[in-house]
Structures are given as C-alpha cells and as structure tokens.
Amino acid sequence: MDALSQELQDFLIRLGREPGCVSEKVEHYIRHIMHLVYADDEDMLQQYYGLFGNSVKPLDDIAGERRVSRETMLKIIEANLRKMAVSPEWQMVKQLIRRQEDERQADKQIST
C-alpha cells in the first residue's frame, strides 16, 4: 500500500475506533469522500472500518459475502483507498484535520 493510501487507512481506523475524534464537519466530508467509490464498495468500507455506526466486520466475512478470496478483498479495499486518497477532496479534508488537531494542541497548552 502506498503512503497516501496508508495515511487514509490509518485515519479511517482511528475514526472507526473513536467516532468523536473529529468534528461533525470533518465526518460529513468523509461521508462525501466515500461517495467517490461504488455504493457497494462504500458500504463494504464502512463495515470493514466500523464507520458511521457500523460494527467492524472481519475481512474474511466480507470476502465470503462477496465470494472472493481474502487476498482479492484486500486488493479491492486498497484500490478503493487509493481512489479516495488521491482525490482533491481528501487532500483538503486532511489539511482541515491537521488544523483542528493543531488548535486542540494549542488549547491544551494554554489550559496547562
């Protein structure tokens, strides 16, 4: 997996584990970025990463439902991540996330 895709994957894993880790605005933008892939793939990614109220679904379960091998399912996930990661939309949201994190850090420093 390339660095851009890995960065998006890391973020999606974090968002799935900590739904409140970003503002509602960022979450809204992520929902729109997910629309860059086919609807079936969007649903699959939301299940795989446990996004937007979905429980995390194991890769083997998703692959079984789609009747593909685990390896093929990983390739599908990686291709979809790449498609989203190179989009101008993700690049803009990534900057917004960084700004919000910088602001949180500054607020923490001020309050201590």
Side-chain angles (χ1 to χ4, degrees):
M1 182 179 301
D2 64 88
L4 286 175
S5 300
Q6 185 65 53
E7 183 178 43
L8 177 56
Q9 175 167 276
D10 292 345
F11 173 76
L12 293 176
I13 290 169
R14 180 176 162 218
L15 182 59
R17 289 182 181 159
E18 305 170 36
C21 70
V22 293
S23 68
E24 288 180 26
K25 182 178 183 179
V26 169
E27 188 173 316
H28 176 79
Y29 290 150
I30 295 300
R31 286 180 185 270
H32 281 282
I33 291 169
M34 300 288 282
H35 293 317
L36 294 172
V37 300
Y38 292 116
D40 287 347
D41 289 341
E42 180 181 348
D43 291 340
M44 174 267 302
L45 290 170
Q46 290 179 16
Q47 292 173 354
Y48 181 67
Y49 292 107
L51 301 173
F52 315 127
N54 287 291
S55 298
V56 173
K57 186 177 259 188
L59 180 64
D60 291 331
D61 292 355
I62 295 170
E65 288 173 4
R66 289 180 162 225
R67 298 187 178 145
V68 297
S69 70
R70 185 177 215 283
E71 293 75 23
T72 299
M73 194 70 252
L74 279 174
K75 287 179 184 177
I76 292 168
I77 290 169
E78 288 179 15
N80 283 302
L81 283 174
R82 177 73 181 160
K83 185 174 187 177
M84 293 184 299
V86 299
S87 72
E89 293 87 350
W90 167 244
Q91 297 306 312
M92 290 172 47
V93 169
K94 187 168 63 170
Q95 290 176 2
L96 177 60
I97 293 166
R98 284 188 183 135
R99 274 197 307 267
Q100 288 180 353
E101 287 175 353
D102 290 345
E103 289 171 5
R104 269 191 237 128
Q105 289 295 330
D107 289 346
K108 282 183 182 178
Q109 290 176 350
I110 290 172
S111 65
T112 55

